[in-house]
């Protein structure tokens, strides 16, 4: 996980994420969430430490958090022929 300063265009390494991440989003309270094949994680933005929350419904999943309600939306693609 990196932070980016648009004024200087510099990136700063915060830390290693808990897993290979496919999708990230921020909820209305400012919490960072990450989704990968191994699960849904709440990510500490200061350290990149992740707390496992749940297993996704499929290995190829994408996360979106509704900006008003905070409701999570997960989309996934099934394997061909399934």
């Amino acid at each position: 996980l990196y932070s980016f300063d648009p004024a200087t265009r510099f990136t700063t390494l915060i830390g290693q994420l808990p897993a290979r991440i496919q999708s990230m989003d921020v909820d209305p309270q400012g919490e960072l969430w990450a989704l990968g094949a191994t699960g849904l994680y709440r990510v500490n933005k200061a350290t990149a430490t992740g707390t496992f929350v749940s297993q996704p419904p499929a290995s190829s999943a994408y996360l979106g958090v509704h900006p008003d309600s905070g409701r999570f939306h997960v989309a996934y693609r099934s394997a061909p022929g399934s």
Side-chain angles (χ1 to χ4, degrees):
L1 181 67
Y2 289 84
S3 65
F4 174 72
D5 183 337
T8 64
R9 300 176 134 184
F10 284 109
T11 58
T12 302
L13 177 64
I14 295 172
Q16 183 69 36
L17 289 167
R20 184 173 174 191
I21 301 301
Q22 294 170 304
S23 183
M24 297 175 74
D25 207 344
V26 177
D27 70 16
Q29 290 75 38
E31 294 289 331
L32 179 61
W33 296 87
L35 183 66
T38 59
L40 173 66
Y41 298 87
R42 181 181 302 120
V43 178
N44 180 313
K45 293 184 285 188
T47 65
T49 303
T51 302
F52 178 81
V53 175
S54 179
Q55 185 64 35
S59 63
S60 182
Y62 303 92
L63 171 69
V65 180
H66 191 278
D68 296 327
S69 70
R71 179 172 283 173
F72 286 75
H73 299 275
V74 176
Y76 63 95
R77 183 176 58 206
S78 298
S82 63

